[in-house]
Amino acid sequence: MPRERTPLNPLNGNLTRRRALLTGAAATTLLATGTGTGTARAADTRDVDVAVVGAGLAGLTAARDLIAAGKKVLVLEARDRVGGRVVNLKLPGGGTTEGGGEFIGPTQDRIKALADDLGVATFATYNTGKNVLYKDGKRTPYATDGLLGSVPPIDAAGLANAAAVQALLDDMAKKVPVDAPWTAEKAQEWDRQTFETWLRANAVIPSARFLLDVACTSIFSAEPRELSLLYVLFYIASAGNESTPGTFERLTETADGAQATRFTGGSQQVPLKLAERLGTDVVRLSSPVRRVARGADGRYTVTADGVTVTASRVVVAVPPPLAARIDFDPLLPAARDQLAQRLPMGSIGKAIAVYATPFWRADGLNGQVVSDAGTVRSTFDNSPQDGSYGALMGFIEADEMRAHDAASEAEVKAAVLKDYVTYFGDKAANPAAFVLQRWDNEGFSRGGPVAYAPPGVLTQYGAALRAPVGGIHWAGTETSAYWCGYMDGAVRSGERVAREVTAAL
């Protein structure tokens, strides 16, 4: 059972001077967590039943199930690590934090089952003490165990309006089929408008609108103006399982919600251990796929850096916008290609400041913030389970992330720490270490946590999302009926596509 690694000296004097921007090649060099090497290799050839593009949770899960079904599989991964949008970041001086997908919660059954099978333990996200609301320049700590639960203490009219809007969204979401949202009775009406347009008509109290705006950027890393209302309703419906309907609250809550639990040793332990189980002969790193071509015999030639693979079937398990950058021959059907062109990635970064202790806990705070201003507008306590050092994690999302994509690390750090001081006091000003992960600048992600649908996309092109194209099959969290955008959705998509391919072979 992996254990959280703690720093030998979290206040090492070099920490504040060491560069800790763990992105791209620098990140993987420091992480050294891949299941192979990133060194150049002579080109070789492989012949398999199924070639899988992408060694995130979706691709690795698909490979596991296909091998169990007796198929010969090769997974091709562009990065020199596995995990995709799930990555552990090594902290200077020791310790681990999560730079990508991190939390799981109720009804996320498949990622939990996978972790259990691999021996990766979980622990509750730190949630003891008060949250902080920062609104209109005022900082207000508030208890989360009262009648309102974790709802920030805004005015009574705003609370009533927000509750009514949430109930209406949940009711509308129940009318959206999770496996085909474009077939909902009101799909055309809902897909013609943005979530912002709908909110303006329904969240009429400014404080209610504030809560829903923060929830939107926190969930999607996109602004309400960018999202189709139908897509938002599908996402809510997706936040459940076959026996439990999804709810808006499950997306936003910590206790009993999508942020309830973390993985001991960091979330990348799951794909790392799965890849280790599959073996280095199955998972090939540093091999970005450039071309997928179908031959006269119906088999596919997959051309990647350093290797050419022939296969009867191909599973593409990367986000739709990145799949669109692969050269397909023959061309993909227009509907599939147009779909991929219209699903942009959200804009997200994570900023983690590391301290000798989780000092906010002594102040009666749980490390969670909801704010209407600043570079970071929501935070979590990312300290290890034993609390041996403190870690504050802040999300930089949507417009705020885009505003900082081209900024220097020093500029981002200054902006983030300014917010942390506002929320948690002067002790937050001087962390022992600072780690920044900007997914917009990741060459094989270009954003996160999910590729979302603007208005008009689902009703016009949604049917192409999972439909195989000849022997090419599609996986990835975006293709999941449940927990789309989450680690659980990625695992579910891998399991679904493995069944699909096994039945076809």
Side-chain angles (χ1 to χ4, degrees):
M1 197 76 67
R3 300 189 56 164
E4 190 80 37
R5 197 168 147 231
T6 56
L8 297 177
N9 182 6
L11 290 179
N12 184 311
N14 291 327
L15 296 188
T16 57
R17 297 190 294 273
R18 289 181 61 184
R19 183 170 178 81
L21 176 57
L22 301 181
T23 56
T28 51
T29 299
L30 289 173
L31 286 168
T33 51
T35 57
T37 68
T39 57
R41 298 178 300 269
D44 61 13
T45 59
R46 294 282 297 274
D47 184 81
V48 296
D49 297 314
V50 185
V52 177
V53 182
L57 284 168
L60 294 174
T61 301
R64 175 201 65 181
D65 291 359
L66 286 165
I67 290 170
K71 309 305 178 186
K72 188 176 180 181
V73 178
L74 181 66
V75 181
L76 298 167
E77 169 55 44
R79 295 179 171 97
D80 59 0
R81 64 167 179 82
V82 299
R85 284 165 277 181
V86 177
V87 62
N88 287 352
L89 305 180
K90 296 293 185 182
L91 298 174
T96 296
T97 193
E98 296 94 341
E102 175 174 350
F103 304 105
I104 66 170
T107 74
Q108 295 189 11
D109 313 307
R110 302 316 303 155
I111 180 66
K112 183 60 166 63
L114 175 59
D116 288 347
D117 179 57
L118 294 169
V120 181
T122 60
F123 66 99
T125 302
Y126 190 81
N127 199 36
T128 301
K130 294 182 178 181
N131 283 20
V132 170
L133 169 66
Y134 186 80
K135 187 175 184 297
D136 300 326
K138 181 182 178 181
R139 176 183 177 276
T140 305
Y142 64 97
T144 61
D145 55 0
L147 292 176
L148 297 178
S150 61
V151 178
I154 60 173
D155 58 280
L159 286 173
N161 188 202
V165 169
Q166 180 175 309
L168 182 55
L169 286 169
D170 284 347
D171 184 63
M172 294 163 67
K174 291 176 183 176
K175 300 176 174 64
V176 176
V178 291
D179 56 347
W182 48 88
T183 66
E185 182 179 352
K186 293 188 176 181
Q188 294 291 336
E189 174 187 337
W190 291 338
D191 206 30
R192 280 197 296 266
Q193 59 187 300
T194 64
F195 188 40
E196 181 177 43
T197 299
W198 187 87
L199 283 178
R200 285 181 177 177
N202 292 275
V204 294
I205 305 298
S207 54
R209 176 64 188 276
F210 153 69
L211 290 182
L212 291 156
D213 279 350
V214 171
C216 176
T217 53
S218 296
I219 294 168
F220 299 100
S221 298
E223 301 292 339
R225 67 175 185 273
E226 299 175 292
L227 300 161
S228 158
L229 173 60
L230 177 63
Y231 181 74
V232 171
L233 295 175
F234 154 70
Y235 216 77
I236 295 170
S238 174
N241 59 19
E242 291 79 359
S243 61
T244 308
T247 66
F248 187 85
E249 185 178 29
R250 193 172 295 122
L251 288 168
T252 60
E253 288 294 308
T254 300
D256 300 321
Q259 288 69 233
T261 306
R262 296 171 60 198
F263 290 107
T264 302
S267 51
Q268 199 189 5
Q269 286 290 320
V270 179
L272 284 170
K273 286 183 174 294
L274 181 52
E276 182 180 6
R277 180 176 291 183
L278 294 175
T280 55
D281 190 52
V282 172
V283 181
R284 178 154 181 150
L285 304 176
S286 301
S287 302
V289 170
R290 308 299 183 181
R291 192 167 191 265
V292 176
R294 187 173 187 175
D297 60 356
R299 287 178 60 79
Y300 289 86
T301 299
V302 180
T303 305
D305 289 6
V307 60
T308 299
V309 184
T310 54
S312 297
R313 298 276 162 165
V314 178
V315 171
V316 179
V318 299
L322 296 183
R325 300 181 183 187
I326 299 172
D327 178 22
F328 290 92
D329 181 17
L331 293 174
L332 296 176
R336 172 68 207 190
D337 193 66
Q338 292 281 320
L339 171 72
Q341 292 181 45
R342 286 164 168 78
L343 292 177
M345 301 297 290
S347 294
I348 186 172
K350 294 178 77 173
I352 300 100
V354 180
Y355 305 89
T357 64
F359 62 84
W360 50 93
R361 297 183 184 180
D363 296 333
L365 302 176
N366 61 18
Q368 296 174 43
V369 169
V370 176
S371 176
D372 68 349
T375 298
V376 167
R377 303 190 180 190
S378 64
T379 68
F380 282 87
D381 182 328
N382 252 45
S383 308
Q385 185 175 6
D386 61 7
S388 55
Y389 61 90
L392 282 174
M393 183 274 288
F395 286 110
I396 311 173
E397 300 183 285
D399 283 350
E400 293 304 319
M401 187 68 262
R402 289 186 280 262
H404 289 83
D405 280 338
S408 69
E409 181 189 353
E411 290 170 331
V412 178
K413 179 180 178 180
V416 169
L417 293 183
K418 179 181 178 182
D419 291 338
Y420 288 179
V421 168
T422 297
Y423 304 147
F424 300 105
D426 291 340
K427 293 178 183 177
N430 298 298
F434 183 82
V435 178
L436 177 65
Q437 179 77 19
R438 287 185 275 194
W439 288 99
D440 293 18
N441 296 339
E442 281 276 334
F444 296 109
S445 293
R446 301 320 306 259
V450 65
Y452 63 85
V457 175
L458 288 179
T459 48
Q460 290 299 309
Y461 307 104
L465 184 62
R466 287 184 294 273
V469 176
I472 301 171
H473 302 256
W474 312 100
T477 190
E478 287 85 2
T479 70
S480 183
Y482 290 106
W483 287 108
C484 173
Y486 290 76
M487 291 184 285
D488 189 72
V491 174
R492 288 175 184 270
S493 78
E495 293 174 338
R496 184 262 308 160
V497 83
R499 293 191 297 268
E500 190 177 281
V501 171
T502 300
L505 286 174

